Amino acid sequence: MSKERPSLSSSLCHTPPRPSSSLCHTPPLPSSPFSSTVLTSASIKRSLMTDKNRYRVQPNPSKRATAACWKVFGVPAMSTDDDPTKYEILPGFVSCKTCLDTYKYIDSSTGNLNNHRCCRESSPDQSSIASFLHLPRSTNSNKLISKRKEEIKQLCAKWVAGSMRSFQIVTDRGLKDSIQACLDIGREFRSETRVHVEDLLPSDRTVIGWRISNEILSKRL
Ligand SMILES: [Zn+2]
């Protein structure tokens, strides 16, 4: 399995996708009408989820896209204003056909795509770790999970009481998604790099700025 990670590691071929690139099997469509619009993975995923008439995930048209992950991933596309039956690919992104998670795809590395949960589920034999994940949990694993769960319970109780939060916050979908993303990131890095929470967690100002820019973007779209 490749250890390359998007955006974090350099690769042989990390220039933005161009049709003339022979090394990259990036979805072609450089002359997109969306190049002037700021698209993000999150905004595309949201559009795919909420506007199924205009947005869809279609197979990567590149003949070089033969890796197993392309059974799970495709390219996001948007219907054109002139002809709603005609779809234009949003270049530089790939989306999971199942959960619609969308990633920037600028270096033609499928390493990160293979780490995506739906890829792992679709090909459990791809790596020993992936197949291990699909084995029934051993007693030891269950014991370890119970121990960790106890730790998390105490941390949640401390957080809710100490910061005077609602008890229901522990069932919040956004909190669960954020923690799951952190667990996935932890698995991606394994023991190679120690990632600190400050490396990942945005500041409140960043979140506010991101929300505002996405609200503007959703109005434009
Ligand atoms: Zn998925």
Side-chain angles (χ1 to χ4, degrees), residues 96 98-99 116 118:
C96 172
T98 307
C99 70
H116 177 68
C118 301

Side-chain angles (χ1 to χ4, degrees), residues 126-146:
Q126 197 168 27
S127 72
S128 55
I129 290 171
S131 36
F132 169 80
L133 290 169
H134 285 75
L135 288 173
R137 278 180 196 153
S138 67
T139 317
N140 279 347
S141 301
N142 282 334
K143 273 187 193 160
L144 193 60
I145 288 171
S146 298

Side-chain angles (χ1 to χ4, degrees), residues 72-73 96-101 116-119:
V72 174
F73 278 93
C96 172
K97 294 175 197 169
T98 307
C99 70
L100 305 177
D101 270 6
H116 177 68
R117 58 181 178 274
C118 301
C119 275

Side-chain angles (χ1 to χ4, degrees), residues 1 10-11 13 30 34 62 65 91 96 98 111 115 128 142-143 152 185 195 197 199 201:
M1 187 192 291
S10 62
S11 112
C13 180
F34 313 103
S62 169
C96 172
T98 307
N115 281 332
S128 55
N142 282 334
K143 273 187 193 160
I152 296 293
I185 290 166
V195 187
V197 66
D199 297 334
L201 203 63

Side-chain angles (χ1 to χ4, degrees), residues 152-161 165-177 179:
I152 296 293
K153 190 170 84 182
Q154 287 178 16
L155 282 170
C156 284
K158 201 172 146 190
W159 170 42
V160 167
R165 303 287 162 191
S166 152
F167 286 110
Q168 279 76 28
I169 201 167
V170 295
T171 61
D172 185 81
R173 184 75 249 169
L175 179 69
K176 287 180 180 175
D177 287 347
I179 293 174

Side-chain angles (χ1 to χ4, degrees), residues 5 11 13 15-16 49 67 80 82 90 124 137 157 161 174 183 186 196 217:
R5 291 183 288 272
S11 112
C13 180
T15 47
M49 290 174 83
T80 55
D82 306 335
L90 307 178
R137 278 180 196 153
L183 290 171
H196 297 273
L217 180 67

Side-chain angles (χ1 to χ4, degrees), residues 32-206:
S32 160
F34 313 103
S35 49
S36 59
T37 314
V38 182
L39 290 170
T40 64
S41 305
S43 71
I44 293 173
K45 182 184 177 182
R46 198 180 52 218
S47 300
L48 285 166
M49 290 174 83
T50 58
D51 194 355
K52 292 182 192 304
N53 290 330
R54 288 192 76 193
Y55 292 85
R56 70 181 186 189
V57 182
Q58 56 189 47
N60 186 340
S62 169
K63 287 193 172 62
R64 291 168 179 271
T66 53
C69 65
W70 292 113
K71 288 194 177 83
V72 174
F73 278 93
V75 290
M78 178 190 175
S79 65
T80 55
D81 290 333
D82 306 335
D83 181 359
T85 62
K86 195 165 168 267
Y87 283 78
E88 298 249 21
I89 292 170
L90 307 178
F93 292 92
V94 294
S95 300
C96 172
K97 294 175 197 169
T98 307
C99 70
L100 305 177
D101 270 6
T102 298
Y103 299 94
K104 266 195 175 149
Y105 187 68
I106 53 173
D107 62 2
S108 293
S109 162
T110 56
N112 186 60
L113 304 185
N114 287 327
N115 281 332
H116 177 68
R117 58 181 178 274
C118 301
C119 275
R120 293 197 305 259
E121 281 159 19
S122 76
S123 53
D125 296 322
Q126 197 168 27
S127 72
S128 55
I129 290 171
S131 36
F132 169 80
L133 290 169
H134 285 75
L135 288 173
R137 278 180 196 153
S138 67
T139 317
N140 279 347
S141 301
N142 282 334
K143 273 187 193 160
L144 193 60
I145 288 171
S146 298
K147 192 179 154 213
R148 295 298 191 208
K149 193 171 178 179
E150 189 59 35
E151 287 174 19
I152 296 293
K153 190 170 84 182
Q154 287 178 16
L155 282 170
C156 284
K158 201 172 146 190
W159 170 42
V160 167
S163 303
M164 295 209 291
R165 303 287 162 191
S166 152
F167 286 110
Q168 279 76 28
I169 201 167
V170 295
T171 61
D172 185 81
R173 184 75 249 169
L175 179 69
K176 287 180 180 175
D177 287 347
S178 303
I179 293 174
Q180 186 60 56
C182 290
L183 290 171
D184 290 345
I185 290 166
R187 194 160 54 224
E188 188 184 341
F189 281 93
R190 302 206 190 111
S191 56
E192 294 161 35
T193 314
R194 177 134 173 83
V195 187
H196 297 273
V197 66
E198 290 80 12
D199 297 334
L200 297 172
L201 203 63
S203 71
D204 51 353
R205 285 169 61 184
T206 309

